[in-house]
Amino acid sequence: IPALQITDLRKTYGEGFEALKGISLDVAPGDFFALLGPNGAGKSTTIGILCSLVKKTSGTVKIFGHDIDRAFSQAKQALGVVPQEFNFNMFENVLDIVVNQAGYYGLPKPLALERAEIYLKKLGLWDKRATQARGLSGGMKRRLLIARALVHEPKLLILDEPTAGVDIELRRSMWEFLREINEAGTTIILTTHYLEEAETLCRNVAIINHGELIENTSIKSLLKQL
Ligand code: ADP
Ligand code: ADP
């Protein structure tokens, strides 16, 4: 079964603006997949639908075979999302942000604490665990979003522009980290503006433009076309 299967996905905002015009897409388990497209193409809308922050107009979405409408809780458990914006409570401390997210996924407190420690250490944030989010640098906030998304150990991790505004050194270390968790078996999908990022990390790619899928191929054959 695919890690992600999107079938004829449509989204109309407001009175009739079609942000997604019938997208179909499969992502294989274990893949490292890039979703590319210019600003306004529909990437964030797609991700918003996957994590139930945006209501789709029609179409189906399955995460490891779990339909997000019919099997919401299984689909939710299988998915971790790193949003573009820092959408945590800035007055909450780093440890609580990650532990509370684990609670949202039903993890018992001792396991939540254990996992929070593992992922905060992996992302170099353990020393900051008592710091409020507002006291973190931009790069630390980005890493906190990733730790929070991994605490329930999702099989599919989706990142929306994970390295936007990040300096080159941190970008490289984030790349290395993402490659490691992909090699450990997590399927990864990321959206990016940087072709170099897709080229460095990803095996397969889809390009969306004006709400339509215009390309779905391997990175290698995409680069040959350029
Ligand atoms: P991307 O992430 O590829 O930049 P988005 O999914 O954010 O694209 O946006 C796709 C289109 O839908 C854009 O034209 C955008 O202006 C529009 N759009 C996004 N969110 C809303 C909304 N809440 N209401 C109306 N239009 C929206
Ligand atoms: P609900 O819709 O269940 O009332 P929220 O939308 O506020 O709740 O989010 C519930 C939990 O999911 C919160 O812990 C929040 O931090 C987290 N969350 C919200 N949006 C995202 C996202 N885009 N990616 C990852 N986690 C998110």
Side-chain angles (χ1 to χ4, degrees), residues 22 27-28 65 99 101-102 120 142 144 176:
V27 176
V99 168
Q101 182 81 349
L120 288 173
R142 289 250 158 253
L144 177 56
E176 200 170 309

Side-chain angles (χ1 to χ4, degrees), residues 72-143:
F72 172 75
S73 66
Q74 288 103 314
K76 170 180 143 180
Q77 289 293 339
L79 176 68
V81 178
V82 177
Q84 229 180 98
E85 66 295 348
F86 302 132
N87 64 347
F88 32 66
N89 178 347
M90 289 293 167
F91 296 94
E92 217 172 356
N93 76 39
V94 166
L95 184 61
D96 287 346
I97 287 171
V98 178
V99 168
N100 290 342
Q101 182 81 349
Y104 173 69
Y105 289 100
L107 274 69
K109 193 73 187 266
L111 182 60
L113 284 165
E114 197 179 296
R115 292 275 187 82
E117 182 172 346
I118 291 171
Y119 288 101
L120 288 173
K121 282 183 174 165
K122 272 186 199 274
L123 285 147
L125 288 171
W126 184 242
D127 291 346
K128 298 282 177 188
R129 62 190 177 280
T131 304
Q132 289 181 349
R134 65 189 173 131
L136 302 179
S137 69
M140 288 174 185
K141 288 183 187 130
R142 289 250 158 253
R143 286 181 280 143

Side-chain angles (χ1 to χ4, degrees), residues 14-31:
E15 288 302 289
F17 175 75
E18 291 184 88
L20 296 178
K21 299 171 185 166
I23 297 229
S24 297
L25 184 66
D26 277 17
V27 176
D31 205 352

